[in-house]
């Protein structure tokens, strides 16, 4: 392990994403920002005049033009900042774009409320015109959202608070990615290394217990020092969610979140209920892991270690690309060819550098190819992360290619399906390729860990979000200590058989997804849907593949539950989650036979 993290300019260009395909310079971004302002002035001329079909159509077309420019500016500027959060020029550009976004939201806030005032029957008649074909789902949404849209002045006032409302997330991101320093620890070679977000992921998987324990304790020592500040940031984020939900006449922040996807709150609650019913399976896995590791007691820092020492090896980025592409061959030659072109030619920002945003994601702006941010360390986990983010990227590519701008963006509820399906296909390919029992055990354990972290753990996160938001909605106070207590008790329930320590009570303080409320449950539902769809592709024929590729190409032209139904899985019922957990139990038994 290198003892120093490189600066951004020390990373070779071939390992960086190529943003010049979007903008060649900051000057070009600023030209588009000026164009947005000019178009905004034109758009404001429609205020109070949306009284006939022709005017409405012109306004919708102009809004699409502006939206695409705003999306492109925002996507580029946030990626530039994510390259290095300490770069003041990138920070300045992002702040300018974010301010423009708030102005844009304010100046366009009249649009939807004015459309809401129109007779919905008349709007439905407009939708029959072929020129409104791209806006039919939008008009359907107008009818569904009517009771939650405020007056023109109220919408404008709410929009003006956009930048302030985003402050908790922005503050946390800056603190977590730029300001927090996690000190130094000894690695497996007894060398002193700087602890970072990316490096922590490797150290926590170390075969040396003292290494992972030291990394774990050092990380949470730092978060404990900032516990009060981060708690206030999170608490204000929760209060913001509850306030916005109340202002828009929802019964709860949870309902406001699920309503946006046209998903019933019962889907969220059913997920938690299914996990509670099947929690003995997680306890069974913990017992299995403890036995394999031959430890008298299992601690939280023992949960991420690969169970097979011989396979704890490193893979170059190119090796990872080749493995992923072979694993995805069931998705067809065209899918694989498009993905290879992207992964090897400028889609991906591969390695960690100082100030780079931690973790991994995929993003994209309409009319441009998708991008992937990684912090690649060469572990098997990183190979699967590449497959995961490639799934997001290809979902974006297919949706953007096959849908008009208005319908191109898929919702978060379905976003995790394509990514997790890729991981499942890669897993099946690797399991089929090996005859080595130890390698099979390694891969099975990885799969078991995926279910533990993506289904069980993300549901625990979802339960934490539900509890904290309900407390605020019921008028109860949240404090740093109460957040730690809630989180600690959840861990006791989920991780029976693991020795609880004080550090785990602070884990909530380092989870960035909590600043996108009620997001994480979609990892669990998406994983469950992906298990069902991947099984169909592997066991079925061309029909199953065609339905899946149609799903990828559908963007947001329909509601997510409906899109998944057409693909072959009904997430409105508990069945997919229950089937996923049943598969988890079967894999525990299979892994046990390999010991």
């Amino acid at each position: 392990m290198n003892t120093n993290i490189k600066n951004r300019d020390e990373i070779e260009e071939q390992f960086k994403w190529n943003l010049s395909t979007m903008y060649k310079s900051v000057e070009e971004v600023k030209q588009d920002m000026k164009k947005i302002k000019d178009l905004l002035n034109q758009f404001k001329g429609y205020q109070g005049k949306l009284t006939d079909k022709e005017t409405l159509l012109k306004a919708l077309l102009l809004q699409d033009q502006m939206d695409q420019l705003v999306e492109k500016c925002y996507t580029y500027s946030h990626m530039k900042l994510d390259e290095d959060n300490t770069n003041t020029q990138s920070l300045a550009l992002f702040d300018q774009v974010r301010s423009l976004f708030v102005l844009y939201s304010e100046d366009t806030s009249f649009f939807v409320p004015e459309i809401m005032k129109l007779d919905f029957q008349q709007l439905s008649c407009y939708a029959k015109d072929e020129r409104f074909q791209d806006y039919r789902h939008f008009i359907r949404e107008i009818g569904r959202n009517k009771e939650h849209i405020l007056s023109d002045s109220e919408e404008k006032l709410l929009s003006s608070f956009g930048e302030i409302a985003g402050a908790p997330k922005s503050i946390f991101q800056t603190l977590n990615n730029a300001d927090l320093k996690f000190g130094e620890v000894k690695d497996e070679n007894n060398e002193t290394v700087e602890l970072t977000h990316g490096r922590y992921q490797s150290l926590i998987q170390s075969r040396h217990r003292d290494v992972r324990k030291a990394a774990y304790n050092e990380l949470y020592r730092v978060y404990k020092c900032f516990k009060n500040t981060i708690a206030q940031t999170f608490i204000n984020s929760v209060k913001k969610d509850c306030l916005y939900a109340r202002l828009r006449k929802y019964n709860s922040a949870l309902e406001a979140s699920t309503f946006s996807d046209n998903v019933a709150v019962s889907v969220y609650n059913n997920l938690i209920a299914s996990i509670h019913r099947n929690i003995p399976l997680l306890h069974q896995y913990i017992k299995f892991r403890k036995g394999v590791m031959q430890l008298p007691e299992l601690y939280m820092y023992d949960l991420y270690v690969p169970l097979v020492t011989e396979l704890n090896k490193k893979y170059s980025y190119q090796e990872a690309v080749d493995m992923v592409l072979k694993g995805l061959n069931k998705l067809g030659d065209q899918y694989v060819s498009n993905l290879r072109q992207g992964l090897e030619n400028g889609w991906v920002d591969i390695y960690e550098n100082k100030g780079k945003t931690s973790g991994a994601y995929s993003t994209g702006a309409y009319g441009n190819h998708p991008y992937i941010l990684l912090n690649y360390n060469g572990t098997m986990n990183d190979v699967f992360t590449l497959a995961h983010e490639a799934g997001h990227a290809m979902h974006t590519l297919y949706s953007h290619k096959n849908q008009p701008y208005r319908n191109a963006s898929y919702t978060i509820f379905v976003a995790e399906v394509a990514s997790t399906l890729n991981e499942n296909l890669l897993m099946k390919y690797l399991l089929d390729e090996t005859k080595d029992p130890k390698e099979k055990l390694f891969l099975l354990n990885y799969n078991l860990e995926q279910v533990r972290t993506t289904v069980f753990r993300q549901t625990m996160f979802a339960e934490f979000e539900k509890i904290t938001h309900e407390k605020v909605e019921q008028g109860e106070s949240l404090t740093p200590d109460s957040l730690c207590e809630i989180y600690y008790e959840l861990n006791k329930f989920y991780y029976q058989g693991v020795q609880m320590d004080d550090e785990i009570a602070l884990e909530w303080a380092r989870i960035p997804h909590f600043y996108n409320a009620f997001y994480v449950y979609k990892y669990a539902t998406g994983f469950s849907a992906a298990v069902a769809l991947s099984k169909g592709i592997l066991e079925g024929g061309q029909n199953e593949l065609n339905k899946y590729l149609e799903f990828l190409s559908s963007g947001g032209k329909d509601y997510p539950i409906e899109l998944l139904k057409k693909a072959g899985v009904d997430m409105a019922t508990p069945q997919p989650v229950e089937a996923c957990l049943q598969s988890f139990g079967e894999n525990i038994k299979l892994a046990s036979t390999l010991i």
Side-chain angles (χ1 to χ4, degrees):
M1 182 182 290
N2 293 328
T3 55
N4 296 309
I5 302 297
K6 290 182 178 180
N7 292 316
R8 179 71 184 176
D9 58 10
E10 295 176 304
I11 303 290
E12 295 178 51
E13 291 301 316
Q14 63 178 316
F15 301 128
K16 299 177 183 177
W17 51 25
N18 180 15
L19 300 188
S20 67
T21 58
M22 292 184 72
Y23 289 110
K24 290 184 170 55
S25 66
V26 171
E27 186 56 40
E28 286 189 358
V29 182
K30 292 184 176 179
Q31 288 172 7
D32 268 359
M33 291 171 69
K34 182 180 182 303
K35 188 174 181 180
I36 291 166
K37 291 177 182 177
D38 292 340
L39 291 173
L40 264 177
N41 288 329
Q42 182 182 338
F43 188 77
K44 285 189 290 185
Y46 286 107
Q47 188 165 3
K49 299 177 181 177
L50 300 176
T51 55
D52 63 272
K53 181 167 71 172
E54 298 303 320
T55 302
L56 177 60
L57 181 60
K58 289 176 182 177
L60 285 167
L61 290 168
L62 179 56
Q63 187 184 47
D64 283 357
Q65 184 183 356
M66 292 189 300
D67 276 358
Q68 288 184 59
L69 288 173
V70 170
E71 180 185 89
K72 187 178 176 184
C73 288
Y74 187 89
T75 301
Y76 177 87
S77 63
H78 96 68
M79 284 195 293
K80 284 299 293 182
L81 182 59
D82 286 343
E83 291 178 353
D84 182 359
N85 284 268
T86 66
N87 186 307
T88 55
Q89 291 180 324
S90 297
L91 182 59
L93 176 65
F94 183 66
D95 282 343
Q96 290 168 24
V97 172
R98 190 165 50 183
S99 296
L100 175 61
F101 183 80
V102 172
L103 174 67
Y104 176 79
S105 298
E106 289 178 21
D107 287 352
T108 59
S109 62
F110 73 90
F111 190 57
V112 171
E114 275 201 29
I115 298 176
M116 289 284 183
K117 292 175 184 176
L118 301 176
D119 181 73
F120 187 68
Q121 204 168 16
Q122 186 65 49
L123 277 176
S124 299
C125 289
Y126 292 171
K128 295 176 183 177
D129 188 322
E130 282 303 308
R131 294 177 299 165
F132 278 83
Q133 181 178 353
D134 295 349
Y135 303 103
R136 287 170 183 166
H137 185 61
F138 169 75
I139 290 172
R140 182 166 48 162
E141 277 290 87
I142 289 290
R144 198 174 68 87
N145 282 274
K146 200 160 189 173
E147 64 179 297
H148 301 294
I149 300 297
L150 309 179
S151 69
D152 296 10
S153 59
E154 289 170 331
E155 285 291 341
K156 185 167 186 177
L157 183 63
L158 210 55
S159 295
S160 69
F161 280 95
E163 198 165 2
I164 296 171
K169 180 179 179 180
S170 179
I171 292 167
F172 174 78
Q173 182 177 7
T174 302
L175 177 67
N176 201 41
N177 292 314
D179 290 344
L180 287 189
K181 303 300 178 188
F182 297 103
E184 297 178 335
V185 294
K186 298 280 190 181
D187 67 8
E188 294 182 354
N189 300 316
N190 204 34
E191 295 177 351
T192 300
V193 296
E194 178 187 356
L195 183 62
T196 64
H197 288 293
R199 192 165 278 159
Y200 176 77
Q201 300 305 318
S202 293
L203 293 170
I204 201 67
Q205 296 180 56
S206 171
R207 300 298 304 177
H208 297 268
R209 201 180 196 196
D210 57 340
V211 170
R212 57 183 187 264
K213 180 179 179 181
Y216 178 85
N217 287 337
E218 179 62 18
L219 186 84
Y220 285 109
R221 179 192 66 79
V222 174
Y223 279 107
K224 186 176 182 180
C225 291
F226 291 87
K227 177 179 75 171
N228 295 319
T229 298
I230 298 175
Q232 288 307 312
T233 305
F234 174 70
I235 291 165
N236 278 283
S237 183
V238 173
K239 287 180 177 179
K240 177 261 297 180
D241 298 333
C242 297
L243 173 62
Y244 271 58
R246 189 167 70 250
L247 291 174
R248 291 203 177 277
K249 304 169 188 173
Y250 292 101
N251 293 316
S252 66
L254 174 57
E255 183 186 75
S257 177
T258 59
F259 185 89
S260 64
D261 289 324
N262 198 22
V263 170
V265 171
S266 60
V267 173
Y268 196 100
N269 292 331
N270 284 344
L271 171 67
I272 295 174
S274 290
I275 292 299
H276 279 217
R277 280 194 300 272
N278 290 278
I279 204 67
L281 288 173
L282 180 58
H283 301 159
Q284 184 182 338
Y285 170 65
I286 289 168
K287 184 178 180 181
F288 166 73
R289 171 172 274 277
K290 180 179 176 183
V292 174
M293 296 182 73
Q294 297 182 336
L295 292 172
E297 299 293 348
L298 204 65
Y299 285 84
M300 297 304 293
Y301 50 77
D302 296 320
L303 293 178
Y304 296 89
V305 187
L307 294 181
V308 183
T309 308
E310 291 84 351
L311 297 180
N312 191 18
K313 57 186 179 182
K314 299 289 185 177
Y315 305 88
S316 70
Y317 175 71
Q318 189 58 55
E319 285 175 324
V321 169
D322 292 339
M323 289 166 66
V324 168
L325 293 173
K326 288 176 183 175
L328 301 181
N329 68 343
K330 288 285 187 179
L331 297 179
D333 293 341
Q334 190 61 56
Y335 183 103
V336 171
S337 174
N338 289 339
L339 181 55
R340 180 181 289 280
Q341 175 66 22
L343 296 183
E344 295 179 349
N345 293 280
W347 285 14
V348 190
D349 204 77
I350 302 167
Y351 297 114
E352 184 178 14
N353 58 254
K354 288 183 180 177
K356 184 176 177 180
T357 293
S358 62
Y361 67 69
S362 175
T363 189
Y366 193 79
N368 298 269
H369 66 68
Y371 288 90
I372 295 172
L373 178 138
L374 299 176
N375 283 275
Y376 189 80
N377 275 310
T379 65
M380 178 61 82
N381 183 67
D382 291 328
V383 177
F384 276 93
T385 297
L386 175 61
H388 182 101
E389 299 305 335
H392 286 309
M394 293 300 285
H395 195 175
T396 298
L397 188 75
Y398 273 68
S399 291
H400 286 191
K401 181 180 178 181
N402 292 284
Q403 296 298 324
Y405 176 73
R406 182 69 60 154
N407 295 332
S409 296
Y410 48 86
T411 70
I412 293 171
F413 189 87
V414 298
E416 295 306 323
V417 174
S419 53
T420 310
L421 181 136
N422 275 15
E423 291 192 73
N424 289 336
L425 293 180
L426 177 59
M427 174 60 63
K428 183 67 167 62
Y429 164 77
L430 293 175
L431 281 171
D432 287 346
E433 281 292 297
T434 182
K435 305 301 179 188
D436 182 354
K438 290 183 179 179
E439 190 166 351
K440 280 187 183 292
L441 176 60
F442 178 87
L443 293 167
L444 278 170
N445 181 72
Y446 181 87
N447 183 256
L448 292 169
E449 274 295 287
Q450 285 296 95
V451 180
R452 179 183 74 81
T453 57
T454 308
V455 181
F456 286 102
R457 188 167 183 254
Q458 299 297 334
T459 302
M460 185 182 76
F461 287 173
E463 197 168 352
F464 176 75
E465 288 185 297
K466 187 171 187 285
I467 292 169
T468 52
H469 283 77
E470 284 178 347
K471 284 188 177 296
V472 168
E473 287 164 345
Q474 292 162 6
E476 298 182 38
S477 295
L478 292 175
T479 67
D481 287 342
S482 70
L483 291 173
C484 288
E485 182 181 355
I486 293 165
Y487 200 83
Y488 186 85
E489 289 302 315
L490 283 170
N491 271 274
K492 277 177 64 178
F493 172 74
Y494 277 76
Y495 289 100
Q496 182 180 313
V498 179
Q499 288 294 312
M500 290 293 113
D501 48 49
D502 292 340
E503 283 76 16
I504 198 59
L506 284 160
E507 188 179 42
W508 61 267
R510 58 179 284 253
I511 308 300
H513 286 110
F514 286 159
Y515 296 87
N516 293 323
F518 306 110
Y519 174 101
V520 294
Y521 90 100
K522 299 168 189 179
Y523 283 113
T525 55
F527 190 99
S528 300
V531 168
L533 290 173
S534 59
K535 184 178 181 181
I537 290 170
L538 290 167
E539 297 178 0
Q542 191 63 40
N543 183 52
E544 284 75 13
L545 176 58
N546 288 343
K547 286 198 295 184
Y548 176 67
L549 295 177
E550 177 62 28
F551 162 77
L552 289 186
S553 302
S554 296
K557 74 175 185 179
D558 202 348
Y559 298 117
I561 293 288
E562 297 306 314
L563 291 175
L564 286 170
K565 271 186 186 177
K566 291 172 187 174
V569 59
D570 187 359
M571 292 307 299
T573 71
Q575 194 277 330
V577 175
E578 295 283 347
C580 176
L581 296 176
Q582 181 183 352
S583 174
F584 177 72
E586 291 168 356
N587 281 340
I588 294 173
K589 292 178 183 176
L590 181 57
S592 299
T593 66
L594 299 171
I595 300 300

